[in-house]
Amino acid sequence: MHVLIIGSGGREHALAWKIRQSPLVTKLSCAPGNAGIGEIAELVPIPATDLDALQRFAVAQKVDLTVVGPEQPLTQGIVDRFEARGLKIFGPGRKAAQLEGSKAFAKQFMQKHGIPTAEFRSFELSQRYDAERYINEIPVPIVIKADGLAAGKGVSVCESKEDALDVLDLMMGRKAFGEAGLKVVIEEFLDGEEASVFAITDGTGFVTLSSAQDHKRIFDNDLGKNTGGMGAYAPAPVMTPELLDIVNRTIIRPTIDGLRKDGYPYRGCLYVGLMITETGPKVIEYNCRFGDPETEVILPLLKTDLVELLLASVEGGIGSLKADLHPLSAVCVVIASGGYPDTYETGKQIVGLDAVKLADEQVMVFHAGTTREKNAVVSSGGRVLGVTAIGPETDLEATIDRAYRAVEKITFDGAYYRSDIGKKGVERLRQLRKEEQP
Ligand code: AMP
Ligand code: GLY
């Protein structure tokens, strides 16, 4: 098969790394890709949002399966277009992708189907006055979300009513998120630990991959601004087998069935972001694709051929498959450009990549924002690399150490990373062990 991956981040590098291992694959292309992906796939210089050019490429090059990484092409309807031309493509159609593309849609969907989530109300621009009144009525903290896509930056947790009113003004008055913020969701604050679960579905059946935990804030101890994700580990010990069973029954199953009944059968990867509250798991958000950097820890734990699962999602029949997981843990530390998520410089030469490759077979360096300039690899984005280590499932600390030993070998001007990736998992494991003791 000729497989085409769309996207250019660490997620797409991890997808390429795993897809390359499939005996079903004879040719791998990636549009537009990055320097790391270029080592294992043919790079095609087409942006992920240029649907016309992507479709022309898929037809001309006889692509057998297209795998979409990022959300934008999905919400733009790339799947509907490819399918109309008889091309096989992994991901949900435009309507089902609204689960991520519109927070108001997702909340209304959950309400309709009785899926546990935070209490909320949504407001259009014309209802700004009602939104202000609602803020004054509900207790703090108050969570305000831009309805549309905002690269993970459209959510504010406000500790005071003044802050909440400011955020509302930022979105609806000053239009800081453009169109995306002209409609908002205001919701109840949920307390607990976060975890994500990933399901691959054909619209009826599904398999779950490992759970994972992301680190969204820029600084240690979850301080500072939200980013696309500064690191991840898997599995998340907070997601015990009992809890995962509850998530499957009360969240994933009704989500897939609800979408099908509503007329938008969901095929692809369903990413469920959860808060584990005292009253059980509740949905914080849905994403209509694999997570980044979660994919960089989830795929190294997957034993099953990913291409078989992707094909079963597209063609149907995933209900009869299983996703076998290695009994290991994985930790990914993201190395970012100094200044990210605000302004940062690019074009910095990265050194140490070969040293890491030689030093440890249990470490993979997934490229996110990199490009090749002559014989050098240079930074080209905010998140530059995702360094993933694997190790024993029962010794997350050892896996974390292994990841950081590799991270320390890599340098570029202004490189920044968090030093506490996985710490919450270690604490949770300790607590679970204490509870198990008689
Ligand atoms: P989202 O983009 O919806 O995942 O939100 C980004 C982050 O904001 C989440 O990962 C949470 O840390 C936080 N968040 C979102 N919604 C809530 C909520 N209702 N209660 C508490 N924290 C939230
Ligand atoms: N890591 C968060 C996301 O992929 O949306």
Side-chain angles (χ1 to χ4, degrees):
M1 288 172 65
H2 179 189
V3 177
L4 167 67
I5 298 172
I6 295 176
S8 61
R11 164 183 51 211
E12 288 75 20
H13 192 180
L15 283 165
W17 169 83
K18 182 70 183 165
I19 288 171
R20 249 268 159 256
Q21 293 165 24
S22 170
L24 297 168
V25 176
T26 49
K27 184 166 182 201
L28 185 61
S29 303
C30 184
N34 60 38
I37 299 172
E39 290 173 15
I40 52 174
E42 193 172 289
L43 299 187
V44 184
I46 304 175
T49 49
D50 189 346
L51 307 195
D52 286 329
L54 290 168
Q55 186 176 322
R56 278 197 301 271
F57 175 85
V59 171
Q61 298 300 315
K62 301 195 170 52
V63 169
D64 297 296
L65 175 68
T66 300
V67 182
V68 187
E71 59 275 18
Q72 288 87 353
L74 294 167
T75 56
Q76 283 174 283
I78 190 169
V79 170
D80 313 71
R81 289 183 51 162
F82 272 48
E83 284 180 346
R85 291 294 302 268
L87 295 163
K88 278 186 198 163
I89 181 165
F90 175 81
R94 192 178 60 81
K95 290 240 175 77
Q98 285 302 298
L99 224 41
E100 172 166 5
S102 165
K103 302 237 185 230
F105 172 91
K107 295 295 289 192
Q108 274 143 18
F109 170 82
M110 288 186 267
Q111 192 171 46
K112 177 174 173 193
H113 294 282
I115 295 164
T117 187
E119 293 292 326
F120 77 101
R121 275 188 61 189
S122 56
F123 300 92
E124 309 266 353
L125 188 57
S126 62
Q127 298 168 302
R128 182 168 168 185
Y129 176 69
D130 300 319
E132 287 170 3
R133 218 171 40 193
Y134 186 60
I135 287 172
N136 282 313
E137 281 165 12
I138 57 174
V140 289
I142 295 170
V143 183
I144 305 189
K145 302 183 173 187
D147 176 61
L149 294 182
K153 291 162 195 126
V155 175
S156 288
V157 178
C158 307
E159 301 295 335
S160 70
K161 308 237 173 202
E162 291 70 39
D163 280 357
L165 292 169
D166 273 352
V167 168
L168 188 71
D169 181 55
L170 190 72
M171 290 182 184
M172 288 189 153
R174 286 173 277 157
K175 305 187 169 51
F177 297 98
E179 279 286 306
L182 297 186
K183 194 173 184 182
V184 300
V185 168
I186 301 181
E187 69 177 34
E188 168 202 13
F189 176 79
L190 298 175
D191 212 358
E193 193 173 332
E194 284 181 57
S196 313
V197 174
F198 300 82
I200 297 185
T201 171
D202 59 5
T204 307
F206 69 94
V207 297
T208 41
L209 308 179
S210 172
S211 62
Q213 197 173 65
D214 188 9
H215 298 65
K216 288 204 168 111
R217 306 294 193 100
I218 185 70
F219 299 128
D220 282 12
N221 301 313
D222 296 332
L223 296 175
K225 289 193 175 166
N226 261 322
T227 70
M230 292 301 294
Y233 66 93
V238 66
M239 191 54 65
T240 57
E242 297 76 38
L243 210 48
L244 188 60
D245 185 55
I246 294 174
V247 170
N248 282 340
R249 278 188 291 110
T250 66
I251 294 172
I252 297 179
R253 177 43 67 202
T255 299
I256 292 169
D257 288 348
L259 284 162
R260 195 180 57 249
K261 283 177 197 149
D262 288 352
Y264 329 120
Y266 189 104
R267 285 186 296 273
C269 176
L270 178 68
Y271 167 140
V272 189
L274 300 163
M275 188 70 85
I276 314 304
T277 73
E278 285 200 328
T279 55
K282 294 189 177 174
V283 177
I284 296 180
E285 63 163 347
Y286 289 113
N287 291 320
C288 61
R289 45 160 179 93
F290 286 102
D292 193 355
E294 293 93 326
T295 306
E296 292 92 301
V297 289
I298 278 173
L299 294 186
L301 299 185
L302 179 66
K303 220 187 271 180
T304 307
D305 182 352
L306 179 64
V307 177
E308 277 178 25
L309 299 179
L310 301 178
L311 276 176
S313 163
V314 176
E315 295 170 344
I318 203 157
S320 61
L321 298 183
K322 248 187 88 219
D324 284 322
L325 304 182
H326 294 290
L328 298 169
S329 58
V331 173
C332 175
V333 178
V334 169
I335 309 183
S337 301
Y340 174 78
D342 295 320
T343 51
Y344 52 82
E345 291 177 12
T346 57
K348 310 292 182 193
Q349 185 173 344
I350 303 166
V351 293
L353 294 170
D354 289 334
V356 169
K357 230 183 243 171
L358 292 173
D360 194 340
E361 273 186 5
Q362 310 279 56
V363 170
M364 282 132 320
V365 180
F366 295 119
H367 291 220
T370 68
T371 184
R372 188 166 277 284
E373 266 180 20
K374 293 187 194 114
N375 284 328
V377 174
V378 302
S379 63
S380 63
R383 291 189 291 175
V384 177
L385 300 165
V387 179
T388 296
I390 49 179
E393 182 169 10
T394 47
D395 194 354
L396 184 58
E397 265 176 305
T399 314
I400 293 171
D401 283 347
R402 176 172 255 158
Y404 278 105
R405 275 202 302 274
V407 165
E408 282 157 14
K409 292 194 173 74
I410 299 172
T411 51
F412 58 90
D413 189 19
Y416 167 78
Y417 55 87
R418 270 178 68 158
S419 64
D420 65 343
I421 304 301
K423 217 165 130 186
K424 259 189 264 177
V426 173
E427 279 157 24
R428 179 64 61 178
L429 273 175
R430 263 193 214 128
Q431 190 193 328
L432 287 172
R433 280 193 192 124
K434 232 188 248 163
E435 284 167 12
E436 271 169 18
Q437 272 161 18

